[in-house]
């Protein structure tokens, strides 16, 4: 199995190829029995060292739809509770005979270590403050369903904790590959000290609202406050300055959309009234698209 660790340098043609495969996967998912034997006999481990609902569940549904054998690993209940380290744990999964592993972890660099030292395929399902490439791919796929290949010059504003967001990093790489203009919006403590090239940076959400095609709200990572220091603004102040409200939505241009990778902190990043069905709300489509895009990734990486 090949690996997917990062979207850095990932060209638009490869992204579009995955989208075309994902569209074919959607047809499979629409069948009464949404299962094909494409990857029957192949084995993949899921090693999630951090909590996940969307990513883990959609990877699991994707694997089952392609008849992949899943070895489900969770730290609780494993020998990690007896002190076994992450590298020994992943080596054990390899020794058990899996051809690839889907990893979510807080440990920056563990996915490249597995690829290099264990020689099995790796899919990065969210790594520390590094990247979350499959999330960015499903986000771009959601936009592709709406726009087709008309990405060139479209403006994507990422709002919130850019500095510590793995979703933001992958989306900046992927969005740039697709020809999008990227604007980073947030309070100074959440913006990267050295912004990536070809990005615009501002602390003022109001000024960008009328010009963006996509407003991508990032989750305020309350659980990282302990490791990152008291960088977070007061949550009510955050909503006041950066939350998407009905008034702000009215100031966006016609056809503009809003997205969020989830889980959403309602009343912090988004007015609860905007979480339900709304013409500009792509949050639920993002979740649904997790399955076909991850099927496409498995299909491609296993060389089917
Ligand atoms: N977007 C995302 O990674 O969500 P989960 O943490 O629920 O997997």
């Amino acid at each position: 199995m090949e690996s997917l660790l990062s979207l850095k340098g990932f060209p638009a043609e490869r992204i579009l190829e995955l989208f075309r495969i994902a569209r074919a996967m959607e047809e499979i998912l629409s069948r009464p029995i949404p299962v094909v034997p494409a990857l029957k006999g192949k084995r993949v481990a899921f090693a999630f060292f951090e909590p996940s609902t969307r990513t883990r569940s959609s990877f699991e549904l994707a694997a089952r739809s392609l008849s992949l054998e899943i070895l489900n690993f969770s730290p609780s209940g494993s020998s990690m509770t007896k002190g076994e380290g992450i590298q020994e744990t992943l080596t054990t999964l390899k020794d058990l005979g899996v051809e690839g592993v889907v990893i979510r972890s807080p440990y920056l660099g563990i996915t490249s270590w597995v690829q290099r030292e264990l020689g099995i395929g790796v899919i990065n399902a969210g790594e520390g403050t590094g990247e979350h490439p499959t999330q960015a791919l499903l986000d771009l796929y959601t936009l592709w369903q709406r726009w087709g290949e008309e990405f060139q010059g479209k403006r994507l504003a990422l709002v919130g904790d850019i500095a510590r967001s793995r979703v933001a990093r992958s989306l900046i790489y992927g969005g740039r590959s697709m020809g999008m203009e990227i604007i980073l919006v947030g309070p100074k403590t959440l913006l990267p000290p050295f912004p990536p090239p070809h990005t615009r940076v501002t602390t003022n959400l109001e000024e960008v609202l009328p010009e963006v095609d996509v407003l991508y709200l990032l989750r305020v990572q309350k659980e990282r406050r302990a490791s990152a220091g008291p960088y977070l603004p007061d949550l009510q102040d955050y909503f006041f300055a950066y939350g998407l409200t009905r008034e702000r939505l009215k100031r966006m241009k016609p056809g503009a959309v809003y997205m969020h990778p989830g889980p959403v902190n309602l009343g912090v990043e988004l007015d609860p009234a905007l979480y339900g069905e709304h013409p500009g709300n792509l949050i639920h489509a993002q979740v649904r698209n997790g399955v076909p895009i991850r099927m496409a990734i498995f299909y491609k990486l296993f060389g089917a």
Side-chain angles (χ1 to χ4, degrees), residues 132-162:
H132 193 349
T134 67
Q135 176 69 44
L137 286 169
L138 74 86
D139 295 333
L140 294 169
Y141 180 65
T142 305
L143 295 172
W144 181 76
Q145 286 176 324
R146 207 167 176 97
W147 298 337
E149 296 189 10
E150 305 297 313
F151 277 77
Q152 197 65 39
K154 289 274 197 322
R155 290 204 179 109
L156 164 67
L158 291 157
V159 183
D161 189 359
I162 320 281

Side-chain angles (χ1 to χ4, degrees), residues 51-56 104 125 132 135 167 261-263:
S52 166
T53 298
R54 291 150 200 78
T55 310
R56 185 174 192 141
R104 165 166 294 190
H132 193 349
Q135 176 69 44
V167 174

Side-chain angles (χ1 to χ4, degrees), residues 50 105-108 126-131 164-166 221 224:
E50 278 185 344
S105 92
Y107 311 113
L108 206 51
E127 183 179 62
T129 54
E131 283 204 52
R164 292 160 197 86
S165 171
R166 53 202 183 196
Q221 302 180 55
R224 297 204 198 277

Side-chain angles (χ1 to χ4, degrees), residues 249-284:
L249 188 59
K250 281 186 204 144
R251 301 192 48 231
M252 291 174 67
K253 63 185 183 187
V257 295
Y258 57 96
M259 305 176 82
H260 191 300
V264 182
N265 293 306
L266 292 173
V268 179
E269 298 107 31
L270 184 69
D271 182 331
L274 298 180
Y275 182 70
E277 288 306 322
H278 185 282
N281 181 2
L282 297 188
I283 296 169
H284 306 287

